[in-house]
Amino acid sequence: MLLNCHTYYSFCYGTLGITELLHEIKKNGYSSFVLTDINNTSACLETIRQACAVGIKPIVGIDFRNGVEQKYVGIARNNEGFKELNEHLTAHLHASEKFADEAPEFHNAYIIYPLQAYKGQWLRENEFIGISVKDLQRLPFSPARNMVSKLVALQPATFIEKKHFNAHRLLRAIDKNTLLSKLPVSEQSTPEAIIMPKEELDKAYFSYPFIRINTEHILNDCSIGFEYGKLTNKNKKHFTDSIANDIAMLRREAEKGLKYRYPEPSEKVLERIEKEMSIIIQKEFTSYFLINWDIVRYARSKGYYYVGRGSGANSILAYLLNITDVDPIELDLYFERFINISRTNAPDFDIDFSWTDRDDMTRYIFNTYGNKHTALLGTYSTYGKDSVMHELGKVFGLPPNDIKDLQALPDPFSKDSIKSAKSLNKLTLQYGSIINGMPSHLSIHASGIIISEEPISTYTATNLPPKGYPTTQFSMLEAEDIGLYKFDILSQRGLGKIKDALSLIKDNAGTDVDIHNMALLKEDDQVKHLMRTSQCIGCFYVESPAMRMLLTKLQADDYLRLVAASSIIRPGVAQSGMMREYILRFRDEKRREAAKAALPELYELLAETYGVMVYQEDVIRVAHIFAGLSLDDADSLRRGMSWKYKMREEFQAVSKKFFSNCLKKGYTLETIQKIWFQIETFANFAFSKGHSASYAVESYQALYLKAYFPLEYMVATLNNGGGFYKMELYIHEARMHGATIVPPCVNTSTDKCVINKKDIYLGIGLISELEKETIEKLLTERTHNGKYTCLYDFIKRVPVSVEQVCLLIRSGAFKFTEKNKKELLWEAYSLINPVKKPKITEDLFDVKPKEYALPELSNSWFDDAFDEIELFGFPLCSPFKLLKDKIPVHTTAKDLKVYVNKEVQIVGYYISKKEVMAKNKNKMPQRMYFGTFIDLVGHWIDTVHFPPSAKKHPFRGRGCYLLKGKVTEEFDHLSLEVSEMRRLDDRNREDVQPAEGVTINTTVNATM
């Protein structure tokens, strides 16, 4: 009798989760039901899976609506009917079209018009009129009353009790961005849309037995099902015309790669190839490998740089096919982490492309495999604690300060918090606890693309987001459950840096660099020196303050240590305490021996990392060998550390088995709990070893380029948006390596930075508020008709507004004219009438404007600095040069070594900070910070700001600070525990004398 059930995947309308809905349906005596979310199929696959498991017959459909106005409900008679409904919904979503009053013809689906939407039209055999319990009151007065064979029960099942209806009203107000008190009734459901007990619903329709009979007929006639299982493999079955030809092609391409990767392959290499081929064929993954091979083959044909990473780097076949650049034999990578006979989930390659190339790669995949079978994976954006407080606060009309106070509560949805709140604040917390975690809308997975054998509409309708590619209405979890495994196509700027750096090196230094010769790069002394001394600015993820600190502590100057560091820097490993333990064991042989003696079996398993779990494979090894779990269970345990999986019954069963197996093997509960804590805190955050190795390869490539071509590499870094730090720091780094930084120039710069020997001209695109159209006109005119001779020549040739010309002048782009900025600004205003639009026609004659005699106009370096701060966000001179008063101390970072465990004062220019929430004795969260500064000569100062100091001496934005604190040293890494911090005052314009052109208030060799 339930033909119109909703979950909270009816976004901003429904309030029930799938499990909650099923529980209520079964509790109220129903054996079947129809799930019909509004213009959405997100819940369908998971509902079918769960319903079958609890003994309820699931039927699925779609509630087709324009806003909240219900047009008709489509119910799939079978899988083909579900596909028809999906295609109908997809067509309207892609075209942003409203649904007509009448449904098109469906061959395998029922259509039900709600009574209020029925316009008296002729009904097809599969079309009916839906009567809700509320409609029964007016049915006797409706023309439809005599259509006995066409009437069915259409009682919406959206809520369980009143609180769900209230939450629904709040969601509607959020969706309409209005106060709850102003929400129109027409934008809401009714309180009667509850899941009634079956006996009560039957009783309501007692006087209309034909309605019950017709409804039961539909329920009995419909049947839908899917083959579930992560290895049911619904992806494209074969790359060529058959699986046999796929196998032959995979072997053929692997043999080609073998000659390139291993000119003289060992027996171990050949055995590994055959082992992987056997498993891949058995698991029917040949097409998956070949599609990934096809993707990177296209990338290479276009000259695109890419990195194959993730657990796929554990495969030698991936290495032979050039999908990855990581040698799994060299690193003893565990293939079973990627694929094993027992593993129930599908393989997963992650391929990074440059941010400039990813769009073309996506286009290639959709063009090659077709929109009908290809889609981006969707994901669900959910209401978090802060967002739900913000949205509910708005619809309740709370003042902003009240909303901030609620967001600041450490546990807002606890009984104590709700009980102590008053009035609307209390309602916000009460209903926030209900809405928290609900999906708010569909979004796009960061990288996932699926390519299916059957049309995508077999499983889901699709949205068409701004990217312009069909996107599934389900997430990767449902995709995996149904046997659709994704292709991960990601982007990052690091690869853009490498690609651009190689081009700049060839142009500026006349050198071709083989960046793929990893054997050379790994042994290069200059690269080792940069890594050992943490001089890694601009070099992928190793430039971050935390990574610089870790490399120093590990004395890292080799590939394996960088691979390990890539994983232990992750938050889970640090949280478990194993990052520190790894460092201690690395530096202390006695500690290693003690660890080995305490748990020799565990230490032997993890000998390479001194008995510490560092990689995701370590979880599998420990679970499989130490705890005796099957490889499948061990991998489920690793994957289960994600909160999304922890909620699932599979994970709960495996975690219990881990403890029971270890107890049977004689380990103490204390030992088991320690090992479990390691697994639990880091497994979901640590990298697979192959993934870490892939990242290490890219870091080595970046370090090599920086070691030998630092200026070209820094220009490439600037042109690819910088990195962990702001652009200013990369300009500073280039200057530290001998570059001369030149402001943008209309005759030399492009939209990006340009290098000429050691001169780096900043890109015109760095100028704030300069329009893209202006840059395009400037560059196009220069390309066609040559350089500009003067400001007048520029204005005559480039039709732009005076405001845009002034931005160029103030940035220094007309420095080649040898006139100061104020003279140029006068000239610009005399040449261009700011009221008139710039003319776009050419003059027949070159009539030069009248020149005026101007008084002497001065322009100081300080004026330039102010312009640069406004236009670039930073000055091109040293920030210490801008200080109002004399620098109080001249201590540098190099001096800190002699002040270990002593108080010291030092002046630093603020670069960045990282906020961390620490807990005090009462377990209350308090803010502390890790800061990064540059000293007077341009070197790092790393600071720690514990909660008392952080509260008393807060950061006050960009600028120079006087820092006071104790110098500490841990494993060769120096840091300053700040006890006092004061931002030093900058000069004002009146502090600079007119004649002061180059005089500065310090003789320090400031490099920024």
Side-chain angles (χ1 to χ4, degrees):
M1 295 288 284
L2 299 180
L3 302 186
N4 192 202
C5 298
H6 300 122
T7 69
Y8 52 39
Y9 290 100
S10 292
F11 301 123
C12 292
Y13 190 97
T15 58
L16 304 178
I18 294 171
T19 304
E20 195 176 8
L21 174 68
L22 293 175
H23 176 267
E24 199 64 20
I25 285 171
K26 190 163 188 176
K27 186 183 83 172
N28 282 287
Y30 299 95
S31 58
S32 63
F33 72 104
V34 185
L35 172 70
T36 55
D37 274 319
I38 298 170
N39 298 345
N40 191 277
T41 60
S42 295
C44 290
L45 294 178
E46 181 63 10
T47 298
I48 294 169
R49 186 182 80 88
Q50 287 194 30
C52 292
V54 297
I56 302 174
K57 178 184 176 182
I59 302 165
V60 295
I62 299 170
D63 192 340
F64 294 97
R65 300 194 183 195
N66 294 329
V68 297
E69 182 189 3
Q70 190 176 46
K71 289 301 189 180
Y72 44 85
V73 174
I75 301 174
R77 293 181 62 192
N78 47 40
N79 286 60
E80 190 61 31
F82 185 48
K83 180 182 171 186
E84 284 185 272
L85 294 172
N86 284 333
E87 289 172 351
H88 178 54
L89 177 58
T90 294
H92 281 75
L93 293 178
H94 285 209
S96 299
E97 289 180 355
K98 289 187 174 183
F99 295 100
D101 291 339
E102 295 184 26
E105 183 177 2
F106 290 93
H107 300 288
N108 292 279
Y110 289 108
I111 295 298
I112 303 172
Y113 294 96
L115 182 61
Q116 68 271 19
Y118 177 60
K119 306 298 183 184
Q121 70 269 28
W122 175 81
L123 298 178
R124 300 182 181 93
E125 184 181 351
N126 62 328
E127 295 182 336
F128 296 85
I129 301 170
I131 310 296
S132 69
V133 172
K134 192 175 181 180
D135 289 336
L136 291 171
Q137 298 174 7
R138 60 191 186 96
L139 180 60
F141 311 102
S142 168
R145 67 184 181 279
N146 296 321
M147 302 174 69
V148 175
S149 65
K150 288 296 185 180
L151 300 183
V152 296
L154 193 67
Q155 171 62 19
T158 311
F159 318 120
I160 296 175
E161 52 188 315
K162 186 179 178 182
K163 69 177 182 180
H164 295 108
F165 174 67
N166 292 341
H168 155 82
R169 293 185 67 236
L170 290 166
L171 288 169
R172 297 303 307 133
I174 291 170
D175 186 46
K176 303 308 292 183
N177 194 27
T178 185
L179 290 170
L180 181 63
S181 58
K182 293 186 177 181
L183 180 70
V185 174
S186 60
E187 287 293 335
Q188 309 171 35
S189 179
T190 63
E192 294 82 15
I194 60 171
I195 303 174
M196 300 168 62
K198 189 174 187 303
E199 288 183 5
E200 190 178 323
L201 192 60
D202 287 341
K203 186 177 180 181
Y205 290 97
F206 180 77
S207 300
Y208 300 92
F210 51 87
I211 290 181
R212 292 165 55 198
I213 292 169
N214 295 340
T215 306
E216 292 296 334
H217 169 73
I218 289 176
L219 290 169
N220 292 333
D221 184 56
C222 295
S223 178
I224 191 167
F226 291 94
E227 182 186 8
Y228 286 85
K230 296 171 183 176
L231 295 182
T232 53
N233 196 351
K234 295 180 177 62
N235 275 38
K236 185 173 172 61
K237 294 295 184 186
H238 41 80
F239 178 75
T240 60
D241 56 357
S242 70
I243 292 175
N245 285 339
D246 275 9
I247 295 169
M249 185 176 188
L250 181 61
R251 190 174 289 279
R252 188 167 60 249
E253 293 301 324
E255 287 171 358
K256 290 180 185 176
L258 182 63
K259 294 175 183 176
Y260 172 69
R261 298 293 196 184
Y262 303 99
E264 297 179 3
S266 66
E267 194 64 30
K268 186 177 181 180
V269 167
L270 298 175
E271 287 175 1
R272 175 68 172 262
I273 293 170
E274 290 306 316
K275 172 187 174 181
E276 290 193 19
M277 281 293 299
S278 173
I279 294 174
I280 289 165
I281 292 168
Q282 188 174 338
K283 303 291 269 184
E284 297 184 350
F285 291 151
T286 49
S287 69
Y288 182 72
F289 270 77
L290 287 172
I291 290 172
N292 277 287
W293 166 79
D294 177 54
I295 290 169
V296 299
R297 178 183 61 169
Y298 174 76
R300 290 197 304 276
S301 74
K302 299 285 286 186
Y304 297 161
Y305 283 80
Y306 63 89
V307 170
R309 57 178 177 84
S311 60
N314 290 35
S315 166
I316 195 170
L317 283 177
Y319 184 52
L320 298 181
L321 295 175
N322 288 310
I323 298 171
T324 74
D325 274 322
V326 175
D327 184 347
I329 303 300
E330 176 193 12
L331 292 174
D332 190 26
L333 296 182
Y334 197 46
F335 180 63
E336 285 75 11
R337 164 63 182 89
F338 184 46
I339 305 174
N340 63 68
I341 290 296
S342 304
R343 184 171 171 176
T344 57
N345 57 289
D348 188 9
F349 280 116
D350 296 331
I351 307 178
D352 282 343
F353 295 92
S354 167
W355 63 290
T356 58
D357 302 334
R358 181 190 179 188
D359 286 347
D360 186 50
M361 294 305 306
T362 302
R363 180 201 57 77
Y364 171 76
I365 293 168
F366 274 86
N367 286 353
T368 303
Y369 300 100
N371 283 13
K372 191 175 180 181
H373 295 267
T374 312
L376 302 178
L377 260 180
T379 187
Y380 312 120
S381 293
T382 58
Y383 290 105
K385 178 178 79 76
D386 287 345
S387 63
V388 79
M389 294 296 180
H390 177 72
E391 296 297 339
L392 288 179
K394 282 201 308 179
V395 300
F396 278 129
L398 293 180
N401 287 341
D402 282 14
I403 295 174
K404 288 180 181 178
D405 290 343
L406 291 174
Q407 290 174 327
L409 290 172
D411 190 7
F413 306 132
S414 67
K415 289 182 180 179
D416 290 341
S417 295
I418 295 172
K419 187 177 180 180
S420 61
K422 295 179 181 179
S423 187
L424 291 177
N425 286 22
K426 188 168 191 172
L427 287 174
T428 302
L429 296 179
Q430 282 179 332
Y431 285 98
S433 66
I434 296 173
I435 297 173
N436 184 43
M438 284 186 186
S440 59
H441 61 278
L442 277 170
S443 187
I444 306 174
H445 186 277
S447 59
I449 297 176
I450 56 173
I451 305 172
S452 62
E453 179 69 17
E454 298 297 324
I456 296 291
S457 57
T458 305
Y459 313 104
T460 179
T462 58
N463 290 7
L464 193 69
K467 283 196 170 189
Y469 298 109
T471 303
T472 65
Q473 291 189 330
F474 54 64
S475 73
M476 74 172 189
L477 294 180
E478 292 84 11
E480 287 180 354
D481 285 340
I482 206 69
L484 286 165
Y485 37 93
K486 68 186 188 303
F487 298 81
D488 279 314
I489 308 299
L490 303 105
S491 70
Q492 50 146 299
R493 293 179 181 267
L495 292 169
K497 296 178 193 178
I498 291 172
K499 176 184 174 183
D500 289 355
L502 292 174
S503 177
L504 289 168
I505 291 164
K506 187 171 183 179
D507 292 342
N508 195 51
T511 304
D512 286 309
V513 179
D514 181 6
I515 205 66
H516 299 291
N517 189 349
M518 284 304 298
L520 173 67
L521 269 58
K522 289 174 189 175
E523 297 304 318
D524 188 89
D525 289 336
Q526 285 286 86
V527 171
K528 290 182 177 183
H529 172 73
L530 289 186
M531 194 160 39
R532 188 169 52 247
T533 55
S534 304
Q535 296 181 51
C536 307
I537 297 305
C539 298
F540 198 28
Y541 68 97
V542 294
E543 70 168 336
S544 72
M547 199 66 185
R548 288 190 295 103
M549 173 197 72
L550 182 58
L551 292 177
T552 300
K553 291 182 177 182
L554 288 176
Q555 300 172 328
D557 64 356
D558 63 81
Y559 182 56
L560 286 178
R561 256 179 292 177
L562 183 57
V563 172
S566 303
S567 189
I568 64 173
I569 195 68
R570 300 282 288 168
V573 191
Q575 181 185 340
S576 70
M578 299 319 292
M579 179 173 80
R580 180 172 178 78
E581 186 61 27
Y582 179 87
I583 297 168
L584 289 168
R585 292 184 189 181
F586 165 74
R587 298 185 72 118
D588 187 349
E589 186 177 353
K590 290 182 180 178
R591 198 175 184 96
R592 294 199 294 271
E593 292 300 323
K596 188 174 183 179
L599 275 173
E601 186 178 348
L602 180 66
Y603 195 94
E604 186 178 343
L605 279 177
L606 307 172
E608 184 184 308
T609 53
Y610 318 118
V612 175
M613 278 185 264
V614 169
Y615 308 111
Q616 289 181 353
E617 290 91 337
D618 296 340
V619 175
I620 298 175
R621 281 196 178 97
V622 170
H624 178 51
I625 300 172
F626 186 81
L629 298 181
S630 68
L631 280 172
D632 185 30
D633 282 345
D635 195 52
S636 293
L637 188 65
R638 176 195 63 79
R639 289 167 62 80
M641 292 306 155
S642 163
W643 70 268
K644 292 179 181 178
Y645 284 92
K646 280 186 179 180
M647 305 302 292
R648 301 178 72 159
E649 59 273 14
E650 301 100 304
F651 171 72
Q652 301 299 329
V654 173
S655 60
K656 288 177 183 177
K657 197 183 293 185
F658 179 91
F659 275 85
S660 61
N661 282 14
C662 286
L663 288 169
K664 286 176 186 176
K665 293 182 80 171
Y667 299 116
T668 66
L669 184 60
E670 183 183 5
T671 297
I672 300 167
Q673 286 173 335
K674 283 182 180 179
I675 293 170
W676 179 256
F677 178 72
Q678 275 194 60
I679 294 173
E680 190 172 39
T681 49
F682 97 93
N684 185 49
F685 294 100
F687 286 150
S688 69
K689 190 176 182 181
H691 183 91
S692 293
S694 299
Y695 270 7
V697 165
E698 186 175 343
S699 297
Y700 261 88
Q701 291 172 331
L703 286 163
Y704 182 84
L705 293 174
K706 186 182 178 186
Y708 290 96
F709 306 96
L711 301 189
E712 290 83 357
Y713 185 72
M714 281 302 117
V715 171
T717 299
L718 289 166
N719 288 344
N720 282 275
F724 182 87
Y725 307 98
K726 294 178 180 178
M727 301 289 272
E728 178 181 14
L729 184 71
Y730 302 104
I731 291 172
H732 159 70
E733 186 72 6
R735 192 180 279 121
M736 291 284 283
H737 285 86
T740 299
I741 306 301
V742 184
C745 176
V746 294
N747 279 335
T748 306
S749 299
T750 66
D751 59 327
K752 296 182 177 179
C753 300
V754 173
I755 185 170
N756 181 16
K757 302 305 179 185
K758 289 195 173 186
D759 293 336
I760 296 176
Y761 289 84
L762 297 185
I764 298 172
L766 290 177
I767 304 171
S768 176
E769 297 185 18
L770 190 68
E771 296 168 1
K772 186 177 181 182
E773 185 181 2
T774 299
I775 299 173
E776 289 173 353
K777 287 178 180 178
L778 182 160
L779 297 177
T780 302
E781 170 61 25
R782 191 178 77 195
T783 300
H784 290 161
N785 297 307
K787 293 184 176 182
Y788 305 104
T789 58
C790 60
L791 178 61
Y792 165 68
D793 183 46
F794 176 86
I795 290 172
K796 185 180 68 171
R797 292 164 55 185
V798 183
V800 293
S801 69
V802 69
E803 291 83 7
Q804 292 288 290
V805 173
C806 288
L807 290 174
L808 289 167
I809 291 170
R810 291 173 60 211
S811 73
F814 290 95
K815 191 176 181 180
F816 70 93
T817 65
E818 298 185 357
K819 294 182 179 181
N820 75 40
K821 290 180 182 179
K822 289 181 181 175
E823 290 179 66
L824 290 168
L825 288 170
W826 271 100
E827 187 177 345
Y829 275 98
S830 70
L831 291 171
I832 304 175
N833 185 340
V835 177
K836 292 182 181 178
K837 290 185 179 179
K839 55 182 183 176
I840 56 174
T841 57
E842 292 186 13
D843 292 325
L844 291 175
F845 303 99
D846 182 11
V847 181
K848 292 191 176 182
K850 185 176 180 180
E851 293 187 8
Y852 298 93
L854 296 174
E856 186 176 346
L857 300 171
S858 64
N859 190 82
S860 73
W861 63 267
F862 193 68
D863 291 320
D864 289 343
F866 259 69
D867 282 337
E868 289 155 5
I869 291 170
E870 184 178 340
L871 298 178
F872 307 141
F874 51 85
L876 295 184
C877 67
S878 165
F880 301 107
K881 186 177 178 180
L882 299 177
L883 291 178
K884 180 178 181 179
D885 300 316
K886 195 171 183 178
I887 292 176
V889 292
H890 290 78
T891 312
T892 65
K894 192 176 181 181
D895 303 324
L896 295 182
K897 186 77 175 174
V898 300
Y899 291 104
V900 173
N901 295 322
K902 296 177 182 177
E903 290 280 330
V904 69
Q905 291 190 69
I906 189 170
V907 172
Y909 179 64
Y910 169 60
I911 298 298
S912 68
K913 70 175 186 288
K914 179 182 178 182
E915 180 182 303
V916 177
M917 297 304 291
K919 291 185 178 180
N920 61 15
K921 294 179 181 178
N922 299 321
K923 296 187 176 180
M924 292 295 291
Q926 293 181 303
R927 286 181 174 82
M928 66 172 288
Y929 300 93
F930 293 96
T932 304
F933 294 81
I934 292 292
D935 74 1
L936 295 169
V937 292
H939 296 136
W940 294 114
I941 308 168
D942 292 309
T943 61
V944 182
H945 306 251
F946 289 111
S949 170
K951 187 175 182 180
K952 190 174 181 181
H953 304 285
F955 288 87
R956 300 191 182 278
R958 64 168 299 278
C960 301
Y961 287 76
L962 176 62
L963 306 167
K964 181 180 178 182
K966 185 174 77 171
V967 179
T968 61
E969 181 178 17
E970 185 179 46
F971 308 123
D972 300 325
H973 178 73
L974 297 171
S975 60
L976 182 69
E977 291 183 0
V978 175
S979 56
E980 295 180 28
M981 179 172 75
R982 176 171 64 88
R983 188 182 183 280
L984 300 176
D985 293 334
D986 288 328
R987 295 186 183 198
N988 296 315
R989 286 187 184 272
E990 54 269 24
D991 296 322
V992 182
Q993 299 301 318
E996 189 180 353
V998 293
T999 307
I1000 61 174
N1001 65 341
T1002 176
T1003 56
V1004 175
N1005 180 24
T1007 58
M1008 286 197 68

